[in-house]
Amino acid sequence: MNAPNTSGWKPEAPVDHAKLADGPATVTGNRALMLEEALIFEIGSNDTTGVDLPPVDRKRSTRLGAFARAEKPELPGLSEPQTVRHYTRLSRQNYAIDLGLFPLGSCTMKHNPRLNEKVARMPGFADVHPLQPVSTVPGALEVINELSMWLIKLTGMHAVAMSPKAGAHGELCGMLCIRAALEARGDAREVVLVPESAHGTNPATAAFAGYRVENIPATEDGRVDLEAMKARLGPDVAAVMITNPNTCGLFERDMKAISDAVHAAGGFVYCDGANFNAIVGRVRPGDLGVDAMHINLHKTFSTPHGGGGPGSGPVVLSEALGPFMPLPYASRTKDGVVHLVEEESADAFSQEHFGGIMQSFGRMTAFHGQMGMFTRALTYMLSHGADGLRQVAEDAVLNANYVLRSMEDLLHAPYAASGPCMHEALFGDRDFAKGFSTLDLAKALIDEGYHPMTVYFPLVVHGAMLVEPTETESKAALDQFIAAFRNVASRANAGEEAMKSAPYYAPRRRLDETQAARNPVLAYTGEVAPAGKPTMSERGGR
């Protein structure tokens, strides 16, 4: 029997079912071995210290002069055990992919195989220093080149820039390549078209790159309005930025027609590849006419989004944009050696090996890429193989459609009739009882032991709930999640008043998010709540 004793029953203790939910109060506030934890400022004070320091000779000059501190710093004094226990307790309140299903839509919170971590920690990979002489890291360059070849092969593109650090950084890289290509032909276009179904970072990136952004509407089935886009194309349009599969969880079936129209008008096609997990091994963006696309290595090729480390956003490029990729880049020459091409050698290298066509727009980062993410992604690819990567996409799409079809009778699924969804299922709050919101459902889902899905995104769906189960969840895990999801959805539809106070079982209850947004208190000032009153951490921190 591994199941916890949820009833609290013991042979000698009569069961009071009315108190099962809350149980008796405890003196400490702890509940079993889940310990109550206050803010670090509430468990320590600046009058104490965790270490013994020698007496201070106040007559001796500190040589700080006017910069000497006049008052005690507002820092809590804690011993090492107190400090370790505080942060360990906080870490136990984290929710992680290693604890359970993490349904954040558009984030691809997939299982991270331990093999990836083992390889990333190998000596020679883990201890590579960015300032190490290039001549001492030929193995690292081989890894970068091998990963590059896989990315080019999987996407059907011509070249890849490996130095961008994350998805939005990759977007900027792609847009700067487009700008450089246009400037090289003396074409001063000013507009970038972004459909409603694109990721929110797309218009921000286009604006940051100096373009004016115009919106392209979606059709009723959630896809880009091809005719509206064609009508807007013209000599001032530099590019179109499209997320495919889009944020409504749908594949853009007109992608090739869109690319052909943009190219005919003299523009370029940027594809947001954040959802590449749904089509890897099944679709090559290069075959659809894409000119630039970033790939989130930290999502598509394992390592959960925001999963405890830096990201990596390589950008695959078409033949037209490849010459403009940023420096540095790694390239294998005919003698079999992989070279790291920097500013000092770029022109000579281009002349010798590329006929002088390389015209890099410049440099985006101090160093070349994120070695840890490179080794993890390549390990993931090699351990899965081409057929395994294809199955990843197929299983991810199957799981998302299982969730969609299991919920569409209870929740508004605005694009359920538009065909199979890709790796994420989208719902809205249309069927909730009056006064109930997506936030109420999300908080109730916490009580069921699940991190909420992505909420209120995409913006085109009212009260949006975007669920991405990923391919690594079993049917049993999905069935349990669906049971919990159906329960809270039914309660929201029925208008169960208690949902508005959820979560009940989390370490902290629902915060006053309006107060926190409008009147944030960001610094601790020493106030301690009187007994019986909520602490600062319970009110949203300071």
Side-chain angles (χ1 to χ4, degrees):
M1 291 291 289
N2 295 323
N5 177 14
T6 55
S7 70
W9 180 84
K10 294 179 181 178
E12 69 279 13
V15 177
D16 184 350
H17 292 279
K19 294 184 177 179
L20 287 182
D22 297 326
T26 60
V27 173
T28 58
N30 301 328
R31 296 175 70 87
L33 300 182
M34 288 302 295
L35 306 183
E36 168 67 11
E37 192 62 20
L39 294 177
I40 195 169
F41 297 99
E42 297 170 324
I43 59 177
S45 73
N46 60 2
D47 293 328
T48 60
T49 177
V51 297
D52 293 328
L53 298 173
V56 176
D57 182 0
R58 298 185 181 280
K59 297 180 180 178
R60 184 176 180 182
S61 172
T62 62
R63 296 187 293 178
L64 292 175
F67 298 103
R69 181 179 290 278
E71 299 177 351
K72 294 180 181 178
E74 293 293 335
L75 297 174
L78 299 172
S79 67
E80 180 175 312
Q82 285 177 307
T83 307
V84 170
R85 285 172 178 170
H86 172 71
Y87 286 109
T88 302
R89 290 168 183 162
L90 289 182
S91 73
R92 294 177 67 194
Q93 296 180 6
N94 277 340
Y95 188 82
I97 190 66
D98 287 343
L99 288 173
L101 189 151
F102 212 133
L104 275 179
S106 199
C107 289
T108 314
M109 305 293 285
K110 64 165 68 178
H111 170 66
N112 189 36
R114 294 301 177 267
L115 176 62
N116 300 0
E117 299 305 310
K118 185 174 182 179
V119 173
R121 286 167 171 72
M122 284 181 174
F125 291 143
D127 54 6
V128 170
H129 193 281
L131 295 179
Q132 213 170 315
V134 174
S135 60
T136 65
V137 291
L141 294 180
E142 284 285 345
V143 167
I144 294 172
N145 186 261
E146 179 73 10
L147 177 59
S148 300
M149 294 300 103
W150 271 85
L151 295 177
I152 290 172
K153 186 77 173 178
L154 286 169
T155 57
M157 301 291 274
H158 183 77
V160 57
M162 298 294 289
S163 62
K165 303 299 186 187
H169 201 211
E171 290 178 31
L172 181 61
C173 173
M175 293 309 297
L176 292 180
C177 285
I178 289 173
R179 174 174 280 283
L182 291 170
E183 289 177 350
R185 71 185 194 201
D187 197 342
R189 297 178 180 233
E190 299 177 342
V191 176
V192 169
L193 305 180
V194 181
E196 290 178 349
S197 55
H199 272 141
T201 50
N202 291 179
T205 298
F208 191 78
Y211 290 103
R212 189 172 74 252
V213 178
E214 293 189 18
N215 185 51
I216 296 295
T219 58
E220 290 186 358
D221 71 350
R223 295 182 170 90
V224 175
D225 189 327
L226 177 60
E227 296 308 316
M229 191 208 68
K230 285 182 175 178
R232 177 58 189 88
L233 288 174
D236 61 336
V237 175
V240 174
M241 297 185 80
I242 295 180
T243 303
N244 192 25
N246 67 31
T247 56
C248 297
L250 301 171
F251 185 78
E252 294 287 355
R253 291 181 297 220
D254 292 329
M255 192 70 205
K256 186 64 170 64
I258 291 171
S259 297
D260 290 345
V262 174
H263 291 156
F268 290 96
V269 177
Y270 185 91
C271 181
D272 187 318
N275 294 337
F276 190 50
N277 192 57
I279 59 174
V280 62
R282 298 280 301 182
V283 177
R284 301 195 313 168
D287 297 336
L288 301 177
V290 171
D291 291 298
M293 183 182 86
H294 75 264
I295 300 172
N296 298 76
L297 292 186
H298 54 286
K299 293 167 63 176
T300 304
F301 302 107
S302 73
T303 307
H305 192 45
S312 183
V315 180
V316 287
L317 300 164
S318 65
E319 187 172 4
L321 294 184
F324 303 96
M325 71 166 64
L327 293 167
Y329 61 86
S331 178
R332 187 188 299 280
T333 49
K334 292 180 180 178
D335 58 1
V337 177
V338 180
H339 303 265
L340 184 64
V341 182
E342 300 271 9
E343 283 88 340
E344 297 82 0
S345 59
D347 290 341
F349 193 89
S350 174
Q351 287 294 337
E352 182 177 355
H353 300 287
F354 295 111
I357 65 168
M358 300 301 286
Q359 306 172 59
S360 172
F361 69 74
R363 193 181 190 100
M364 296 189 73
T365 64
F367 303 109
H368 189 239
Q370 215 322 316
M371 201 63 211
M373 300 310 299
F374 290 167
T375 51
R376 288 178 176 89
L378 184 58
T379 303
Y380 186 80
M381 293 174 179
L382 295 177
S383 60
H384 279 73
D387 56 339
L389 292 176
R390 180 187 179 97
Q391 186 178 346
V392 163
E394 292 172 346
D395 290 352
V397 172
L398 179 64
N399 283 358
N401 279 276
Y402 186 58
V403 172
L404 176 65
R405 301 308 170 191
S406 299
M407 297 298 302
E408 62 180 340
D409 63 320
L410 271 180
L411 285 176
H412 177 222
Y415 304 116
S418 300
C421 69
M422 300 309 288
H423 66 323
E424 51 200 4
L426 178 60
F427 305 98
D429 65 354
R430 190 187 67 181
D431 297 328
F432 287 1
K434 185 177 181 180
F436 284 78
S437 68
T438 291
L439 188 65
D440 297 325
L441 182 145
K443 298 299 185 184
L445 202 57
I446 294 174
D447 280 336
E448 294 288 348
Y450 290 100
H451 189 288
M453 66 290 287
T454 296
V455 296
Y456 299 108
F457 179 82
L459 302 178
V460 293
V461 175
H462 193 274
M465 291 164 274
L466 193 60
V467 180
E468 182 177 351
T470 80
E471 69 282 355
T472 46
E473 299 300 337
S474 67
K475 182 174 181 299
L478 290 179
D479 285 338
Q480 186 180 51
F481 170 72
I482 290 168
F485 196 8
R486 288 186 64 84
N487 175 272
V488 294
S490 299
R491 292 162 58 197
N493 290 348
E496 183 182 306
E497 200 64 26
M499 284 187 70
K500 291 187 175 180
S501 298
Y504 291 89
Y505 307 128
R508 290 293 176 269
R509 299 293 301 277
R510 189 184 303 204
L511 306 181
D512 186 340
E513 297 188 13
T514 302
Q515 177 73 3
R518 293 182 177 177
N519 186 28
V521 183
L522 304 176
Y524 185 83
T525 58
E527 177 189 349
V528 177
K533 299 294 184 182
T535 64
M536 276 174 268
S537 54
E538 289 173 315
R539 301 202 307 268
R542 296 192 64 86

